[in-house]
Amino acid sequence: MSLRSIDEVLHQRGHWIDGRLSPSSGQDIAVENPASEQVIGQVADGDAADVDRAVRAAHDALPAWRESTLDERLALLTRLCDVLDEDCPQLAAIITAEVGAPAAIAGPAHVGFTTGILRAFVELARDFSFTATAGSATVFYEPIGVAGCITPWNLPLILIAQKLGAALVTACTTVFKPSELTPFSALRLAECMAEAGYPPGVFNVVTGYGPSTGEALVRHPLVRKVSFTGSTRAGRRVGALAADGVKRVSLELGGKSANLVLPDGDLAQAVATGSQQACFNAGQSCIAWSRLLVPAERLAEATDLAADALGGMRVGDPADPGTDVGPLVSAQAAERVRGYIASGIEQGARVAVGGPERPADLPRGHFVRPTVLTDVRPDMTVAQEEIFGPVLCVIPYRDEDEAVVIANGTPYGLHGAVWSRDEQHALAVARRLETGMVNVNGYGFDPLAPFGGYKQSGVGREMGVDGLHEFLEAKAVQCYSTR
Ligand code: NAD
């Protein structure tokens, strides 16, 4: 492969436009390694002119890309997955450096899920019918055009893949704006796409901040589809701007998911699985089961199990293969999470393990102690707001109806779990949850299924057939006899 060295990637100071690096006239943004607090590289802070060049490249690439056959597009996407597999060690090293994700998950999860998602789009599109009949009409599902895609820092490649896979198989072209905290994985992906043979302009990357670069992308008149993943706060703004331009928009936003253990559920398994799930990526996951709901009479038992699980996690250098929990992405993120732990204590929660203090043996880096807060009431701030760190709130309930009310009692509705030895009963409870995804008696992620949230967790779906429709327009054609 002719990909550049990691050092070159970290010091390129340019955007990826029309199949190559394109210098920016803007200022540089210094990117930090959250474990060492050292600057690892610089990227450009894109301005409106940079965004315009990228969108025009995507727009110019559209006609030829739309003419490609589905088979050609699927072959290219399969080739891209092979290139990504080959580049996995480099991509994983970049993700460990920019996100602070432990090496144990950077390759298998961050990069592995990325290719898993892209391969799922190959499978989905192969079976998808781009033409349908509706009454007397033939419906043609056609690419919507240029998609402007904005992604956060927590799972930088995976969240690009959820949009990119759909865009590529539906023959849309794209401009991505990755998070200013984690831009390098996206720029590396751009090189991998060129290596795989994608035509210039199909995938473009403009780096920069949200309110400047991101908003310029959302506002650009040639962008027909806006696909945003990030906080509910920024999503609200992006949604409003997209509405102003009457653009199709999908929003993948925050979560406050409940891991609901019914009285007959396997508590030990639920807490073991839920603790890992809640602390994956240092708890910086939109689908984290950050609330553990247990029968009141089993609160003490559940608290002990959770304290053992989180207390046993190894916090430290993400490059060390034995590390379970790395740093949070930034000083600001760590302060925010510590503030939430302190607010929980102030409002009457009890710390079963962890706490707001920085780990004593880690003087540098944005580390937070995996923390179990118990005796948490549903109205506490820690039970209502997304903490986005390794913090698990244990909340007791009296009966099943109250458990469902608590589970549904936040502004969010992204993910969740139900545990019961009676699977049919668990499914019935799952149907009562106002949330886009529910796991029953375990945890898994199926990229063929739709992904997205109810309420303030978002609008629209990614992945699955629903995810394809987000990038398609439906054209109904009716033919009448000329005789
Ligand atoms: P964020 O909203 O601060 O930033 C996300 C992206 O949006 C970044 O690229 C940022 O630069 C950009 N942005 C910020 N303000 C913008 C604006 N006004 N206009 C255009 N773009 C703007 O979120 P974050 O801190 O990077 O990510 C964490 C959040 O993302 C959490 O709330 C998490 O739950 C959510 N998230 C959701 C999903 C999902 O699929 N539902 C997945 C991962 C993360």
Side-chain angles (χ1 to χ4, degrees):
M1 294 223 302
S2 57
L3 299 178
R4 293 174 308 146
S5 72
I6 299 292
D7 202 47
E8 285 174 297
V9 174
L10 299 183
H11 293 92
Q12 57 200 347
R13 293 180 159 90
H15 310 291
W16 187 272
I17 297 176
D18 210 16
R20 60 196 158 78
L21 263 185
S22 167
S24 168
S25 49
Q27 300 286 307
D28 287 340
I29 300 174
V31 180
E32 185 200 64
N33 176 323
S36 67
E37 300 184 36
Q38 302 292 309
V39 171
I40 53 168
Q42 314 275 341
V43 286
D45 179 13
D47 58 18
D50 296 325
V51 170
D52 183 59
R53 281 189 296 122
V55 174
R56 285 184 191 285
H59 190 254
D60 291 349
L62 254 183
W65 186 232
R66 285 176 67 135
E67 289 303 311
S68 62
T69 66
L70 181 62
D71 282 349
E72 286 166 346
R73 294 197 297 277
L74 300 192
L76 257 183
L77 189 48
T78 305
R79 166 85 186 117
L80 172 63
C81 291
D82 294 342
V83 173
L84 293 174
D85 283 344
E86 219 176 300
D87 199 45
C88 181
Q90 285 74 19
L91 283 163
I94 290 174
I95 283 171
T96 294
E98 66 181 11
V99 182
I105 64 164
H110 281 260
V111 183
F113 287 171
T114 297
T115 50
I117 289 165
L118 295 176
R119 286 199 163 94
F121 276 112
V122 173
E123 197 179 324
L124 266 172
R126 198 173 275 136
D127 296 337
F128 184 77
S129 189
F130 285 86
T131 312
T133 303
S136 61
T138 303
V139 183
F140 297 96
Y141 291 104
E142 300 183 340
I144 196 164
V146 177
C149 304
I150 298 177
T151 49
W153 48 265
N154 61 323
L155 303 166
L157 268 189
I158 292 173
L159 298 169
I160 288 178
Q162 293 187 184
K163 303 174 189 312
L164 182 63
L168 292 176
V169 299
T170 55
C172 292
T173 58
T174 57
V175 178
F176 277 78
K177 194 213 78 70
S179 168
E180 58 279 12
L181 298 175
T182 57
F184 297 120
S185 42
L187 291 163
R188 183 64 166 191
L189 171 63
E191 288 188 48
C192 291
M193 291 194 65
E195 178 73 13
Y198 273 94
V202 168
F203 177 72
N204 304 276
V205 178
V206 181
T207 56
Y209 294 109
S212 47
T213 319
E215 291 197 13
L217 180 58
V218 176
R219 285 178 199 274
H220 198 291
L222 293 177
V223 168
R224 291 309 320 145
K225 157 82 189 176
V226 174
S227 180
F228 174 86
T229 303
S231 62
T232 297
R233 175 193 51 79
R236 217 172 260 129
R237 170 82 178 143
V238 167
L241 288 174
D244 200 43
V246 198
K247 297 174 187 206
R248 188 95 71 81
V249 65
S250 49
L251 305 171
E252 295 285 344
L253 309 177
K256 189 71 188 173
S257 299
N259 182 16
L260 168 46
V261 191
L262 291 171
D264 69 340
D266 182 341
L267 186 67
Q269 190 60 49
V271 176
T273 304
S275 299
Q276 291 297 327
Q277 200 274 3
C279 291
F280 171 76
N281 212 40
Q284 303 168 116
S285 159
C286 55
I287 59 171
W289 299 342
S290 51
R291 296 180 296 152
L292 173 63
L293 273 51
V294 296
E297 61 278 11
R298 301 188 78 181
L299 177 65
E301 190 188 346
T303 300
D304 288 348
L305 286 166
D308 282 351
L310 270 72
M313 291 177 180
R314 274 186 59 184
V315 184
D317 179 3
D320 179 340
T323 293
D324 300 309
V325 178
L328 297 204
V329 75
S330 65
Q332 195 190 12
E335 272 319 301
R336 201 167 160 264
V337 173
R338 290 197 190 101
Y340 271 119
I341 299 171
S343 97
I345 297 167
E346 269 165 41
Q347 292 178 15
R350 184 169 63 80
V351 174
V353 78
E357 310 78 20
R358 135 191 300 281
D361 56 336
L362 294 167
R364 180 172 300 138
H366 310 307
F367 293 96
V368 172
R369 301 165 75 191
T371 298
V372 175
L373 293 174
T374 190
D375 297 330
V376 172
R377 288 190 319 274
D379 62 341
M380 288 180 184
T381 307
V382 288
Q384 286 293 319
E385 296 184 8
E386 185 181 45
I387 297 175
F388 227 55
V391 180
L392 183 62
C393 294
V394 190
I395 307 176
Y397 65 80
R398 283 186 305 258
D399 57 32
E400 187 174 298
D401 285 345
E402 187 183 54
V404 170
V405 169
I406 295 171
N408 290 337
T410 78
Y412 298 107
L414 191 56
H415 208 277
V418 180
W419 299 77
S420 166
R421 291 186 204 275
D422 177 347
E423 191 178 307
Q424 288 310 312
H425 185 61
L427 282 169
V429 173
R431 294 293 305 271
R432 296 176 69 191
L433 300 185
E434 295 167 355
T435 188
M437 295 162 280
V438 189
N439 286 181
V440 170
N441 292 332
Y443 173 64
F445 172 76
D446 189 336
L448 294 172
F451 184 105
Y454 283 28
K455 302 192 285 185
Q456 292 187 20
S457 285
V459 174
R461 291 293 180 273
E462 292 192 328
M463 303 199 289
V465 171
D466 307 78
L468 295 183
H469 279 290
E470 297 280 347
F471 287 81
L472 292 168
E473 290 282 17
K475 177 183 284 172
V477 177
Q478 279 172 274
C479 289
Y480 296 95
S481 168
T482 50
R483 280 192 279 153

